[in-house]
């Protein structure tokens, strides 16, 4: 992690360039992927099989923001960890706290207030975004609202169900309803290598200033999906509260993997 100890000289140089211009020092990307995640799949997939109710706020029964990820076309990878010393301040996103609790919720176990997740996302992706912390979170939330995936799906008859299968083609067709966009659909498999496919994430291409939805510069349309996909229900009211006493240790992979999952996206 960028937060690990660095040589004092590097730290000093980092401070220097930071104080001159955070912009010039950090731009290494061409566009963003806005990654939206369906919690119904996150909470039902295996091995990530259960979720817990956050200790603050109420998660929305809707797509969550996972991250706004800067992407470099030349390297074919997301750009991560651009700060030598990463500093996340909750104060800077205080005005957004309701939206963060609703749409950027950490439903992993044990129950937690989400602060660790936001810090992880900021340190992993935000520091590379050429945006300030408050603007980074604000833009990502605004873009999520603008896209409004759930209503687009609903309009096309695609609603959460534990039994129904939807064609991937139908899902992609519905996504064409996002003006100016092209998207990448990502699925998760019930048993890792076999079983049903679950709709998991939608990656939407965003301009490098994080202001508008764009047509993706990279031709890639699906990740790990079959031709028939389930869209599992998610009811935040059913999430159990857990103190963590009987749960797995904090380092458990069940923690919302802001960085661990598909670094190439
Ligand atoms: C980085 O941010 C600065 C300040 O907002 C802006 O002037 C500049 O155009 C940005 N650079 C890119 C490549 O978006
Ligand atoms: C992408 O990464 C390469 C290698 O680090 C770098 O040379 C290039 O300038 C980056 N592209 C952009 C648009 O920043």
């Amino acid at each position: 992690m960028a937060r690990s100890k660095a040589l004092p000289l590097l730290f000093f140089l980092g401070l220097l360039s930071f104080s001159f211009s955070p912009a010039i020092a950090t731009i290494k990307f061409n566009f963003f992927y806005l990654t939206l995640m369906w919690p119904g799949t996150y909470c039902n997939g295996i091995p990530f099989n259960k979720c817990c109710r956050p200790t603050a706020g109420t998660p929305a029964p809707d797509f969550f923001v996972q991250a706004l990820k800067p992407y470099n076309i030349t390297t074919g990878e997301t750009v991560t960890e651009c700060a030598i010393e990463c500093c996340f301040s909750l104060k800077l996103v205080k005005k957004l706290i309701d939206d963060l609790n609703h749409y950027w919720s950490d439903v992993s176990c044990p129950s937690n207030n989400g602060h660790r997740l936001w810090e992880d996302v900021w340190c992993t992706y935000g520091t590379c975004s050429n945006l300030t912390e408050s603007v980074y979170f604000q833009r990502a939330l605004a873009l999520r609202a603008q896209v409004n995936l759930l209503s687009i799906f609903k309009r096309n008859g695609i609603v959460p169900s534990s039994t129904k299968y939807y064609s991937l083609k139908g899902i992609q067709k519905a996504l064409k309803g996002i003006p100016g966009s092209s998207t990448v659909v990502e699925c998760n498999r019930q048993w890792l290598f076999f079983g049903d496919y679950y709709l998991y994430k939608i990656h939407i291409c965003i301009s490098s200033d994080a202001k508008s939805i764009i047509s993706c510069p990279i031709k890639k349309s699906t990740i790990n999906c079959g031709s028939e996909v389930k869209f599992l229900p998610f009811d935040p009211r059913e999430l159990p509260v857990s103190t963590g006493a009987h749960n797995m240790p904090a380092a458990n992979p069940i923690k919302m993997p802001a960085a661990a999952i598909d670094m190439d996206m």
Side-chain angles (χ1 to χ4, degrees):
M1 285 304 274
R3 281 164 292 175
S4 62
K5 290 184 187 68
L7 292 169
L9 176 64
L10 279 180
F11 180 58
F12 176 70
L13 289 175
L15 279 182
L16 263 188
S17 58
F18 188 77
S19 58
F20 285 143
S21 165
I24 289 163
T26 55
I27 298 164
K28 293 182 198 147
F29 65 98
N30 306 89
F31 68 97
F32 289 105
Y33 277 114
L34 173 68
T35 300
L36 304 179
M37 189 214 38
W38 179 244
T41 297
Y42 176 74
C43 294
N44 283 284
I46 289 174
F48 305 99
N49 57 350
K50 279 287 170 280
C51 287
C52 291
R53 183 188 304 237
T55 55
T58 318
D62 205 331
F63 281 85
F64 292 173
V65 179
Q66 190 196 26
L68 188 59
K69 306 176 182 177
Y71 191 88
N72 181 312
I73 295 175
T74 312
T75 61
E77 284 176 347
T78 50
V79 186
T80 58
E81 295 167 2
C82 297
I84 289 170
E85 287 285 309
C86 178
C87 179
F88 173 80
S89 162
L90 197 64
K91 250 194 235 160
L92 296 173
V93 292
K94 224 172 171 181
K95 274 197 290 192
L96 305 170
I97 198 74
D98 285 344
D99 265 5
L100 287 168
N101 284 334
H102 276 66
Y103 302 114
W104 210 320
S105 186
D106 187 348
V107 289
S108 66
C109 297
S111 291
N112 72 92
N113 59 15
H115 300 177
R116 267 271 297 279
L117 170 69
W118 303 330
E119 179 174 8
D120 263 7
V121 172
W122 170 250
C123 292
T124 306
Y125 302 108
T127 52
C128 304
S129 69
N130 191 36
L131 302 170
T132 63
E133 186 192 307
S134 60
V135 172
Y136 177 82
F137 285 95
Q138 181 232 313
R139 289 272 164 77
L141 286 164
L143 287 162
R144 194 216 68 88
Q146 185 186 335
V147 169
N148 203 351
L149 275 182
L150 205 56
S151 76
I152 283 183
F153 282 138
K154 197 172 171 191
R155 236 181 290 144
N156 288 270
I158 300 166
V159 291
S161 157
S162 48
T163 53
K164 255 186 120 163
Y165 292 88
Y166 297 101
S167 78
L168 179 63
K169 286 219 168 73
I171 288 169
Q172 289 173 310
K173 199 169 158 217
L175 289 168
K176 294 223 168 81
I178 307 170
S181 78
S182 51
T183 52
V184 184
V185 180
E186 180 175 341
C187 302
N188 200 18
R189 240 176 150 179
Q190 189 175 11
W191 303 102
L192 224 53
F193 299 113
F194 58 98
D196 289 339
Y197 290 95
Y198 300 145
L199 182 66
Y200 188 24
K201 295 177 191 173
I202 308 289
H203 308 272
I204 301 159
C205 293
I206 304 294
S207 60
S208 63
D209 58 6
K211 283 183 179 159
S212 41
I213 296 166
I214 59 168
S215 171
C216 294
I218 292 177
K219 295 280 158 273
K220 181 175 194 175
S221 61
T222 65
I223 300 168
N224 196 33
C225 290
S227 58
E228 300 278 304
V229 169
K230 273 186 174 175
F231 186 21
L232 297 176
F234 172 64
D235 186 349
R237 291 167 304 183
E238 286 175 1
L239 294 173
V241 176
S242 133
T243 59
H246 305 288
N247 269 295
M248 323 199 186
N252 184 283
I254 207 163
K255 193 182 116 48
M256 179 92 74
I261 282 192
D262 38 77
M263 289 294 281
D264 63 330
M265 267 304 292

